[in-house]
Amino acid sequence: MGTSDAETVVSLDGVRKEYDLGGTVTALDGVTLDFEPGSYSAVMGPSGSGKSTLLNLVGALDTPTDGDVVVAGRNIPTLSESERVALRGTRIGFIFQTFNLMPRLTAEENVALPLLFAEWERSRRRERARSLLDDVGLGDRIDHLPQELSGGQRQRVAIARALASDPDLILADEPTGNVDTETGEGIMRLLEDANDRGNAIILVTHERRIAEHADRIIHITDGVVEGIESIEQTTPEPLQ
Amino acid sequence: MKFRDGIGIAWRSLTGHRLRSALTTVGIVIGIATVIIFASFGTSVQTDIVGEFEDTAASEIIIVTGDVGLDPSSGGDGGPPPSADELGNIALPGITVHDLDQLSQIDGVRSVIPRGSIDASSVSYQNETRPQSVIATTPAALPEENFVSGGPFEQGDSGEIVLSETAANEFEGDVGVNDTVVIDYGNSKENFTVVGIISQARGGLNVFGSFSAEVYVPTDPYYREYGNTVESPSQGVEQAAYRQVTVVAEPNQVSETRDRIERYFEEESDAGQVVEEGVTVQSTAAIVDGIESVLNDVIQLVSGIGILALLVGAFGIANIMLVSVTERTKEIGIMKANGAHNREVMGLFLAESTLLGLAGAVVGIPVGLIVGFGAAAYAEVGFTVPFGWIAVATAMGITTGIVAGLYPAWRAARVDPIDALRYE
Ligand SMILES: Nc1ncnc2c1ncn2[C@@H]1O[C@H](COP(=O)(O)OP(=O)(O)O)[C@@H](O)[C@H]1O
Ligand SMILES: [Mg+2]
C-alpha cells in the first residue's frame, strides 16, 4: 500500500519501531501519516513519546521494524544503505536541538558540508554557503568556528546547512530547545521563510507556542498518533 | 566527496591536534630513520669497498698452497681470512718457478706475481735497525701509480729495493729514494739502494690493501738465494717455490681464468704434487662478493629492527585513530546525516592514518640520511645516497599508515548515525 502519490512528500503507513535493549521498547506503534509538498507540520508530545524516532525514520537515518516510510517516492526499508545516504544528502535537511555542527570547520564549511558529499566544486560550494549565511544574517561570520558563535548563531548556521542542497523536506528536532525565547522566535522566522519558499517542514517540539507556527499539529503519545489539529494561520497583523 | 577535499579535511583533523599527531608519528620516524641510517651507511661502505676493488683488485686471483678458506662468507670455520703469518705456518711452499711459467701462459692471465718472504732478520738505515720481514716479488706487484716517490725495481742483481710508505715512515730518519739500507740475513749483510716508496703493493693477501710495513726486493736473485726451494717434480731440478702467487687476469674473464688455473693445479702442476692438500684458488671478486653479502645481511638485519620499530609505530597510529573514532563519533554522525557514505567516512580516517605514516617517512628519511652521513664520515667512507631505500622507506611509511588505519576506519564507517547523534 505504499502511497507514493505526487501529492505527498512523505507518507508513513502502519509504521512500527521497536528498540531491543534486553526488553523490547515500542517507540512507534502503527503510525500512518501523510505530508504534502511544501506543508508545515509540527509533531508534539511528551518526552519519550517517539517524536525523534519518527523524525529519524523519515530522515532515512533508521529503518522501521514494520510498515512503509516513503520519502520523495522512495520506500526507505527497501533502500540500500548507500541509497539512504544519497536520499538524505540530497532530499532532506536536518536541524537538531544541539546544532550538531562540525567543531573544526568554519561556518561556511559547515553550511557546505552536504554539498561536499554531493561532490560540488569548491567554488560553487563556497558561493552557495555564503549566500545562505547571508540569508540567515551571518554574512559576517563565515570564517568563524562554531565555538566562536552563540547558540542562536549556531542554530542559524545549522538552518543554512539544512537548506544547502535545497531539499524537499526539512526535519527539525526541537530546534529551539537550546536557545532563549527571543532567539527561538528568530529561528522560527527562518523556518517560516524556508517554508514560504516551498520546503516542506516537519518540526518536533514539546512546546505548544512553537508548534503553533505550523499549519497543523500532530499529537503523539506513547508512539501512537492521538490526533491532528489544524492551526489557523492568521496573517500577521501590522504592529500597533 | 572529491579526493582533494577528503585529504584537506583529514589534514585539518590532524593539525587540529598538532602535538598528538606529532607524538603519534614518533614511532614511524624512529623506524624509518633506523632503516635509512643503516641502509645509507651500509650502501656507502659497500660502494666504497666495491669501488676500491673495481679500481685495483677485482681482476686478481689469489693462489695459496694448502686448503684455505679465503672467502669470508664461505670460509670453513667462518672466521676472517688468515693473516700472512698464519698462512706461513700452515701452507708449504710448493708453487715452483716452473708453475709460474706455466701460469703465465694460461689464457686470460695478464701477469703473475709471486710473493715470498726471505730469511732476513732486520733492515737498517743509517744507525737505526728495525726488525723487518723482507718480501721477494716481481715489478708487476709494484704498479707505477701507487708510488709516492721513485718507481719499481728491476729484476736482477741490481741491489734495488722498494719500501712501503709505512715501512719508510717507521724509521726515525726520513728514508728516501737513493738512500742506502742494509738487510741483515743473519750471517751476512747486504746494501740496497732505495728506488721507490710505494703506498700499496699488489699481491698481498689482505683484500683491503696492505698498509703494513713491508720492504720488497726482486725474486731474482734474492728469493732464489734466501727463499724456499723444492725439487720440481716435472723438471727434476731444485727450484724456488712459493706459498702465495697472485695472478692478474684480464678484467672481463676473471672467472674463466680462475677455472683454467684451478684445472692446471689439479692436473699437471708441481704444487699439486709437492703439497699434499694442493692449492686454493680464489678470485678477489669472490671475496668482495662475500663481503658484500655479509654487509647485505647486516643491512637486512638492522632493517628488520627498523621494521619492528615501524610495527610499534603502527600500533601507536592504530591506537590514536581508535581514540579519535570514539571522540569523533558525533562528527561521524553529522557527516552521515549530511550525505556521507560509509566508504567516505572510512576514506577520511584512512587518509588521516596514511598522512601520519607519510609524515613519519617525510621526517624519518632526512633524519636517517643525516645520521647515516655522519656515520659514513666517521668511518671515512664516501657517502652514497640510498635512493632505492628511500623509495622503500616512503612506501613503508604509507603502508604502515594504511594498515594501522584499516581497523579504526572500518569502525568509523560502521558508526550508527542515530547513536552518534544522541551521543553527548
Ligand atoms: N536508539 C535507541 N535505543 C533504544 N531505545 C531508544 C532509542 N531511541 C529512542 N529510544 C526509546 O524510544 C522511546 C522514544 O524515544 P524518542 O523517539 O527519542 O522520544 P522523544 O523524542 O519523543 O523524546 C523512548 O522510550 C526511548 O527511550
Ligand atoms: Mg527527542
Side-chain angles (χ1 to χ4, degrees):
Chain A
M1 293 189 288
T3 42
S4 56
D5 325 351
E7 298 293 291
T8 63
V9 62
V10 177
S11 72
L12 295 93
D13 189 5
V15 170
R16 282 174 56 79
K17 179 66 184 178
E18 292 173 356
Y19 293 106
D20 215 354
L21 293 171
T24 304
V25 178
T26 305
L28 291 178
D29 194 0
V31 173
T32 299
L33 283 170
D34 285 331
F35 298 84
E36 286 164 23
S39 63
Y40 191 168
S41 310
V43 179
M44 249 190 96
S47 182
S49 56
K51 307 184 293 295
S52 295
T53 301
L54 176 72
L55 223 52
N56 290 340
L57 289 174
V58 172
L61 287 168
D62 209 349
T63 48
T65 312
D66 204 2
D68 293 326
V69 180
V70 179
V71 178
R74 317 212 57 188
N75 192 7
I76 286 168
T78 66
L79 300 181
S80 70
E81 163 72 22
S82 177
E83 288 170 322
R84 277 187 275 138
V85 171
L87 185 70
R88 59 188 182 240
T90 55
R91 301 303 198 94
I92 299 165
F94 291 93
I95 302 167
F96 302 94
Q97 177 174 359
T98 54
F99 322 133
N100 284 344
L101 299 178
M102 298 285 281
R104 272 184 298 275
L105 300 185
T106 63
E108 179 191 302
E109 289 165 330
N110 265 290
V111 173
L113 196 65
L115 310 178
L116 182 81
F117 295 118
E119 313 231 314
W120 283 38
E121 284 301 333
R122 187 189 173 85
S123 56
R124 280 185 66 216
R125 293 201 308 258
R126 174 169 285 183
E127 202 181 314
R128 172 93 176 135
R130 289 187 176 182
S131 115
L132 286 163
L133 282 169
D134 269 341
D135 291 348
V136 299
L138 291 174
D140 55 344
R141 295 282 191 277
I142 54 172
D143 288 329
H144 286 236
L145 293 174
Q147 71 201 40
E148 297 161 350
L149 299 172
S150 72
Q153 288 172 327
R154 288 183 210 183
Q155 196 58 300
R156 283 192 277 161
V157 172
I159 290 170
R161 181 180 64 190
L163 293 167
S165 50
D166 194 18
D168 303 316
L169 181 64
I170 290 173
L171 304 177
D173 194 347
E174 311 263 13
T176 57
N178 272 18
V179 295
D180 60 58
T181 315
E182 201 178 326
T183 312
E185 285 304 323
I187 284 164
M188 293 319 293
R189 267 196 299 281
L190 286 174
L191 287 181
E192 263 157 45
D193 290 347
N195 182 237
D196 289 345
R197 284 193 298 268
N199 302 96
I201 296 177
I202 303 177
L203 165 74
V204 161
T205 184
H206 60 271
E207 288 180 79
R208 180 157 187 99
R209 189 175 45 77
I210 297 295
E212 280 174 350
H213 286 82
D215 297 329
R216 61 171 182 168
I217 300 176
I218 298 159
H219 291 275
I220 179 169
T221 310
D222 290 337
V224 176
V225 176
E226 297 272 270
I228 300 179
E229 173 190 358
S230 286
I231 304 292
E232 208 52 53
Q233 290 296 337
T234 49
T235 349
E237 286 167 25
L239 289 173
Q240 279 133 25
Chain B
M1 187 174 39
K2 294 183 185 303
F3 182 76
R4 231 189 47 169
D5 292 327
I7 298 292
I9 300 238
W11 178 254
R12 194 84 70 80
S13 304
L14 292 178
T15 50
H17 291 286
R18 260 171 237 280
L19 181 64
R20 182 206 276 193
S21 301
L23 291 177
T24 306
T25 58
V26 166
I28 305 291
V29 169
I30 292 174
I32 299 249
T34 311
V35 170
I36 290 292
I37 288 167
F38 285 90
S40 64
F41 182 63
T43 311
S44 299
V45 171
Q46 259 179 3
T47 311
D48 211 63
I49 290 177
V50 173
E52 180 128 323
F53 272 83
E54 266 155 12
D55 299 348
T56 64
S59 51
E60 288 182 3
I61 296 165
I62 297 174
I63 305 157
V64 293
T65 55
D67 186 9
V68 194
L70 287 178
D71 178 350
S73 68
S74 69
D77 56 359
S83 70
D85 277 356
E86 283 170 331
L87 206 64
N89 291 334
I90 54 175
L92 293 165
I95 307 168
T96 63
V97 171
H98 169 72
D99 284 336
L100 299 185
D101 283 345
Q102 295 294 311
L103 281 175
S104 65
Q105 283 162 34
I106 290 177
D107 268 355
V109 172
R110 232 185 221 182
S111 58
V112 177
I113 306 170
R115 183 184 168 101
S117 50
I118 277 176
D119 275 333
S121 54
S122 66
V123 175
S124 314
Y125 171 61
Q126 291 170 345
N127 45 13
E128 195 184 346
T129 300
R130 304 196 59 85
Q132 175 68 62
S133 63
V134 177
I135 289 162
T137 188
T138 59
L142 310 168
E144 295 274 1
E145 65 270 20
N146 287 5
F147 275 90
V148 179
S149 59
F153 51 62
E154 282 171 16
Q155 284 283 36
D157 191 3
S158 54
E160 292 179 345
I161 192 167
V162 168
L163 271 58
S164 77
E165 207 177 358
T166 316
N169 289 341
E170 278 188 358
F171 287 101
E172 298 280 326
D174 257 342
V175 188
V177 173
N178 291 331
D179 285 340
T180 300
V181 296
V182 183
I183 291 183
D184 188 343
Y185 296 118
N187 43 18
S188 66
K189 295 186 181 190
E190 185 170 350
N191 281 2
F192 284 82
T193 306
V194 176
V195 293
I197 309 286
I198 194 167
S199 61
Q200 193 184 345
R202 294 191 101 162
L205 239 202
N206 189 342
V207 293
F208 295 102
S210 172
F211 295 104
S212 47
E214 289 179 336
V215 304
Y216 310 99
V217 295
T219 49
D220 180 22
Y222 302 102
Y223 194 72
R224 233 172 354 118
E225 268 172 52
Y226 302 104
N228 297 96
T229 56
V230 296
E231 192 184 302
S232 159
S234 60
Q235 309 300 303
V237 296
E238 201 63 14
Q239 283 196 338
Y242 297 89
R243 293 184 173 110
Q244 183 194 342
V245 173
T246 299
V247 168
V248 180
E250 297 295 343
N252 54 350
Q253 39 179 303
V254 178
S255 63
E256 299 92 316
T257 308
R258 196 192 86 109
D259 292 346
R260 287 187 207 113
I261 291 171
E262 227 162 25
R263 213 171 312 127
Y264 167 73
F265 279 105
E266 275 164 20
E267 287 168 5
E268 44 182 324
S269 68
D270 285 350
Q273 299 173 57
V274 172
V275 185
E276 205 182 318
E277 303 93 340
V279 300
T280 304
V281 181
Q282 182 78 57
S283 67
T284 46
I287 298 174
V288 175
D289 284 350
I291 293 165
E292 267 199 297
S293 94
V294 169
L295 276 172
N296 264 329
D297 289 351
V298 171
I299 292 174
Q300 262 155 30
L301 176 79
V302 179
S303 302
I305 296 169
I307 284 164
L308 218 63
L310 278 183
L311 203 65
V312 174
F315 278 103
I317 290 185
N319 181 43
I320 232 57
M321 292 305 298
L322 281 175
V323 170
S324 180
V325 169
T326 308
E327 279 177 351
R328 286 193 272 160
T329 297
K330 184 147 196 171
E331 286 179 46
I332 296 167
I334 296 170
M335 290 195 288
K336 287 190 165 186
N338 284 285
H341 287 273
N342 287 356
R343 64 186 137 78
E344 290 176 307
V345 173
M346 181 149 182
L348 280 176
F349 280 83
L350 263 186
E352 277 186 38
S353 66
T354 308
L355 283 174
L356 284 173
L358 182 64
V362 165
V363 177
I365 288 170
V367 168
L369 285 177
I370 289 166
V371 178
F373 178 81
Y378 181 77
E380 296 183 354
V381 296
F383 186 67
T384 308
V385 178
F387 289 106
W389 279 97
I390 289 177
V392 169
T394 310
M396 286 194 302
I398 292 173
T399 310
T400 308
I402 291 174
V403 171
L406 274 176
Y407 177 66
W410 179 77
R411 285 268 299 259
R414 273 176 30 120
V415 164
D416 179 354
I418 308 266
D419 290 340
L421 292 168
R422 284 158 58 97
Y423 189 93
E424 285 304 317

